[in-house]
Amino acid sequence: MALALKFEKLVQYGEMENYEDLASLGGVTRGRMSQIMSLLNLAPDIIEEVLFLSLTTKGRDPVNTDKLLKLSLTPDWEEQREMWRELW
């Protein structure tokens, strides 16, 4: 999530021309870069919660990239929030 926010600023302020350049610089595919950037489609309150999640010290992390990507594909923020609550 933090990477997506940082990458968005780099492009927005002209430090990088586009996401394709970022993907190349980061050594990832354009598809992976698209996945990272799609996290910006999450509702602002979910983004904030993700940024301040506690470290998981035991067992599996309840939130992972796949789950967040699934949420980001849902355009309705209220529906996202419902899905987010179900994760917990």
Side-chain angles (χ1 to χ4, degrees):
M1 188 75 254
L3 278 176
L5 292 166
K6 176 67 174 175
F7 291 164
E8 178 67 18
K9 284 186 179 182
L10 288 173
V11 172
Q12 186 178 27
Y13 293 119
E15 294 179 43
M16 295 297 292
E17 190 169 330
N18 53 43
Y19 299 133
E20 185 176 358
D21 290 346
L22 278 167
S24 178
L25 181 68
V28 297
T29 64
R30 289 185 308 179
R32 184 62 174 159
M33 183 57 65
S34 292
Q35 287 179 328
I36 292 168
M37 299 314 294
S38 73
L39 296 175
L40 297 176
N41 295 328
L42 293 169
D45 50 311
I46 295 173
I47 291 174
E48 186 174 354
E49 286 186 49
V50 168
L51 289 171
F52 293 101
L53 283 173
S54 300
L55 227 52
T56 300
T57 57
K58 200 179 230 185
R60 290 184 170 259
D61 201 335
V63 177
N64 60 40
T65 307
D66 289 341
K67 291 176 182 176
L68 289 175
L69 287 172
K70 188 180 282 188
L71 282 177
S72 74
L73 294 174
T74 304
D76 183 276
W77 284 355
E78 286 306 316
E79 193 174 335
Q80 282 183 11
R81 289 177 180 111
E82 272 183 49
M83 294 167 69
W84 176 250
R85 283 189 291 272
E86 288 173 12
L87 285 176
W88 298 101

